Amino acid sequence: MPITLDEVRHVARLARLELTEDELRAFQTELDALLGHFQDLQAVDVTGVAPKPHAVALQNVLAEDVARFGLTRDQALANAPKSRAGLFLVPSIRED
Amino acid sequence: MSNTLGQLTATEIAAALQRREMSAREVAQAFLDVPDTYGAFLHVDAERTLAEADAAQARLDAGETSPLLGVPVAIKDNISTQGRPTTCASRILEGYIPPYDATVISQLHGAGMPLLGKTNLDEFAMGTSTENSAYALCKNPWDPTRSPGGSSGGSAAAVSGGLAPISLGSDTGGSIRQPAALCGLVGFKPTYGRVSRFGLVAFGSSLDQIGPFGQTVADVAALSQVICQTDGLDNTSLPDAPLGAMDLANASVKGKRFALPRELMSDAVEANVRASIEQAIRTLEAAGATVDHVDLPSLSLGVSTYYVIAPAEASSNLGRFDGVRYGAREEAPGHVESLMATRGKKFGHEVKLRIMVGTYALSAGYYDAYYLRAQQIRGLMVAEIDALWGEYDAILSPTSPCVAFPLGGFSHDPMALKLMDFCTIPANMGGYPALSLPCGLADGLPVGLHLMGPVRGDERLLELAAGVERALGCAPLRPPRA
């Protein structure tokens, strides 16, 4: 079943991507091609197969409990698109 | 193009520096003087490179003999470099200057290797041709109308084109090995966890690994000795990361056993590549190796598995680009609107596609069908491969099903480029060490032979590769100069 334009719009919203109508249509075609290719995964019997989320699994990796310097405030702010008075300046998150 | 140093390998340059036949500054200057006609570099800071060369020379003059001391190195631009731009070839990181060094960069400084500059790549390392760079077209030194491969195309073009003796790339699904193949170089992806990922801008965290490009196996082995170290800043760093002793000089393929999976020599491999690989196999057999055909059925699912898992991890990793703490920001009335505008306008098409695929695969209702299932198939794939290590020293295949392809040749068919990754993906799935080395030319363009070994078998794989290199007798392979 081909992916609908509304589904593409929903995924873009979840992904926090503002897309033009042209882009939405392009991604509809490309997502369809990829999802179509993924059908080969559906044919495999994976009953009882444990998922493998890591290439080489390690367990209980602990960091040494030692103090070390991080970034200074100026270093942390140096790349910010906007800052003021030693703080990151962000767009408003509430309605006035 | 008059840089005669381009005719020397990194280890040869190191030896010449030790003999005081040239200074580290002269070496760095010679490489900086080569015009970058391939779009290999995105950023060069000659003054700083020369200052680092002078510091290396002081160490040489003090009698220090570390193996690559004074040899300059090019760095893929998704590896953080303090005070030097790191863009990932993306508009979203335009102007970003990291306040810290990646662990591998600290290691290079420790080894006294001046940084020549930051190299071109597919945006966020997503691609197979370096055509997804937001900044510059990258060309293959063997034929500038063709792609160097990708995503580490700039690091490959820099070494192949004589702009750097050695370089670092990153490999999530083949991004070191495929460009190495297409540019006639040796490219090595060490075992996952042997090289710290701290400071490597994350793409697919369970797959990403930094590794070297060089002209010979000895070169990549020497740089691997520098970067394979345990690092407390990376929780996936192996406690036994440092490489043990290797004997490359006496390596031989005599008595070695190779497995050739039929799935990686399928009809998708073009005839000229197939002929070159078959010729290489005959040469190895004549030198006393055995090569057996084997069946690894789940390898045919590699591309699908990868293009679920890697985008899923990428969609999460790239969530950090929010236009607040660093990088570009598009202003809009409200936080979410600004976030969406920033990401929509500053990420390129392929990056957005992969974020979309990953978000879809992880979204409610699809997680089990795609992401969980892909992880289960990853488990099947690794079990099939692991069953071979008792019997074989390495799995052998082509690296890429084709030689370097024309730039723009696949712009009408984005799926075609993704399908090309099938030989290199299995190594990332299992964290296996793997490398590509040149095995000859087809129609005047390099063909790469791919070798993969068991997890933590990096030293034996490099020795085996040195034996293969000697038997085939075609490295270093340099493009014809104009």
Side-chain angles (χ1 to χ4, degrees):
Chain A
M1 198 172 57
I3 189 165
T4 66
L5 207 52
D6 275 347
E7 286 175 299
V8 178
R9 199 172 276 120
H10 172 65
V11 173
R13 179 84 192 165
L14 290 176
R16 295 290 188 253
L17 293 170
E18 181 185 295
L19 302 177
T20 64
E21 287 300 311
D22 281 351
E23 282 183 304
L24 285 170
R25 276 188 293 275
F27 285 128
Q28 184 182 19
T29 308
E30 290 182 53
L31 278 173
D32 239 9
L34 270 167
L35 296 175
H37 198 269
F38 295 164
Q39 288 312 305
D40 59 1
L41 301 178
Q42 307 306 327
V44 184
D45 181 7
V46 292
T47 316
V49 178
K52 183 174 172 61
H54 303 291
V56 182
L58 297 173
Q59 283 182 334
N60 299 334
V61 177
L62 302 175
E64 275 184 65
D65 188 13
V66 289
R68 59 183 172 87
F69 285 100
L71 300 179
T72 64
R73 187 171 67 180
D74 286 348
Q75 285 175 324
L77 288 170
N79 283 290
K82 282 190 177 173
S83 64
R84 187 193 295 160
L87 302 166
F88 292 107
L89 203 59
V90 299
S92 173
I93 55 164
R94 65 177 180 88
E95 310 269 328
D96 284 321
Chain B
M1 169 67 225
S2 59
N3 176 19
T4 51
L5 287 177
Q7 301 301 312
L8 296 177
T9 67
T11 40
E12 285 167 350
I13 291 171
L17 285 166
Q18 286 293 341
R19 293 192 300 265
R20 303 295 187 275
E21 290 169 11
M22 52 184 92
S23 71
R25 172 177 275 263
E26 285 165 352
V27 171
Q29 189 69 60
F31 283 105
L32 290 168
D33 284 346
V34 183
D36 182 10
T37 56
Y38 307 117
F41 284 96
L42 293 178
H43 179 76
V44 172
D45 179 348
E47 212 171 298
R48 194 158 167 180
T49 305
L50 293 172
E52 289 167 354
D54 289 342
Q57 189 60 48
R59 289 169 60 178
L60 282 159
D61 291 340
E64 195 178 323
T65 57
S66 4
L68 291 171
L69 181 56
V71 177
V73 55
I75 308 296
K76 187 177 184 180
D77 199 30
N78 62 347
I79 298 174
S80 300
T81 43
Q82 187 274 325
R84 289 168 155 115
T86 299
T87 66
C88 296
S90 180
R91 292 288 173 201
I92 210 163
L93 280 174
E94 193 161 9
Y96 170 67
I97 299 180
Y100 64 92
D101 276 327
T103 295
V104 290
I105 300 299
S106 305
Q107 291 163 339
L108 296 176
H109 289 320
M113 299 180 71
L115 309 188
L116 279 168
K118 305 299 292 291
T119 59
N120 209 348
L121 66 151
D122 285 301
E123 184 177 0
F124 285 105
M126 297 177 188
T128 308
S129 67
T130 314
E131 290 169 294
N132 297 329
S133 169
Y135 295 104
L137 190 64
C138 192
K139 300 168 184 172
N140 191 316
W142 286 82
D143 176 351
T145 70
R146 292 174 188 268
S147 165
S151 68
S152 312
S155 288
V159 176
S160 173
L163 293 148
I166 200 160
S167 63
L168 284 185
S170 68
D171 190 314
T172 304
S175 281
I176 291 172
R177 293 160 286 151
Q178 184 257 15
L182 270 47
C183 290
L185 300 171
V186 182
F188 177 45
K189 183 199 84 70
T191 295
Y192 182 88
R194 280 201 113 142
V195 182
S196 171
R197 292 183 297 110
F198 178 77
L200 170 67
V201 178
F203 164 10
S205 303
S206 80
L207 309 162
D208 296 339
Q209 193 66 177
I210 294 171
F213 287 91
Q215 299 174 68
T216 62
V217 174
D219 280 8
V220 302
L223 189 48
S224 299
Q225 297 274 16
V226 173
I227 62 171
C228 289
Q229 302 291 341
T230 306
D231 182 17
L233 297 175
D234 174 359
N235 282 345
T236 59
S237 176
L238 291 174
D240 51 347
L243 294 179
M246 286 182 271
D247 182 4
L248 302 180
N250 297 303
S252 158
V253 296
K254 191 173 166 60
K256 300 297 181 187
R257 296 152 303 169
F258 296 90
L260 171 64
R262 287 190 179 85
E263 292 75 12
L264 306 186
M265 272 291 255
S266 69
D267 293 343
V269 179
E270 290 186 4
N272 55 356
V273 172
R274 173 188 298 273
S276 180
I277 299 293
E278 284 170 350
Q279 177 59 45
I281 290 171
R282 285 191 291 275
T283 306
L284 295 177
E285 285 173 337
T290 55
V291 181
D292 292 341
H293 289 266
V294 297
D295 290 303
L296 296 174
S298 69
L299 292 196
S300 60
L301 300 165
V303 171
S304 287
T305 308
Y306 176 81
Y307 278 98
V308 172
I309 292 174
E313 295 186 6
S315 72
S316 170
N317 276 324
L318 271 59
R320 74 191 56 180
F321 295 99
D322 57 5
V324 171
R325 290 154 301 153
Y326 44 77
R329 182 199 296 182
E330 287 286 316
E331 295 299 338
H335 174 64
V336 174
E337 290 72 18
S338 167
L339 180 59
M340 290 186 65
T342 298
R343 294 163 57 83
K345 293 197 171 70
K346 298 298 183 182
F347 283 137
H349 185 87
E350 182 67 24
V351 172
K352 284 188 276 194
L353 172 65
R354 300 211 194 184
I355 292 173
M356 296 278 287
V357 172
T359 303
Y360 181 87
L362 293 173
S363 65
Y366 297 104
Y367 182 91
D368 286 0
Y370 291 103
Y371 186 63
L372 182 64
R373 180 168 279 264
Q375 287 198 337
Q376 288 173 306
I377 294 170
R378 183 180 188 177
L380 288 176
M381 199 176 297
V382 169
E384 273 180 23
I385 293 168
D386 280 345
L388 289 180
W389 300 130
E391 232 179 308
Y392 294 100
D393 295 294
I395 295 176
L396 175 154
S397 69
T399 306
S400 162
C402 61
V403 293
F405 45 86
L407 288 162
F410 291 97
S411 49
H412 62 288
D413 186 5
M415 198 63 214
L417 280 174
K418 295 181 172 62
L419 293 173
M420 273 183 205
D421 299 344
F422 67 96
C423 293
T424 48
I425 282 171
N428 303 84
M429 289 295 166
Y432 303 115
L435 95 179
S436 179
L437 78 169
C439 70
L441 299 179
D443 304 321
L445 294 166
V447 176
L449 180 77
H450 191 262
L451 298 174
M452 180 166 86
V455 161
R456 293 184 170 86
D458 304 64
E459 298 91 339
R460 300 295 82 78
L461 184 70
L462 287 165
E463 286 177 343
L464 192 59
V468 171
E469 183 180 58
R470 181 164 301 120
L472 298 179
C474 65
L477 195 61
R478 297 188 175 106
R481 302 284 186 216

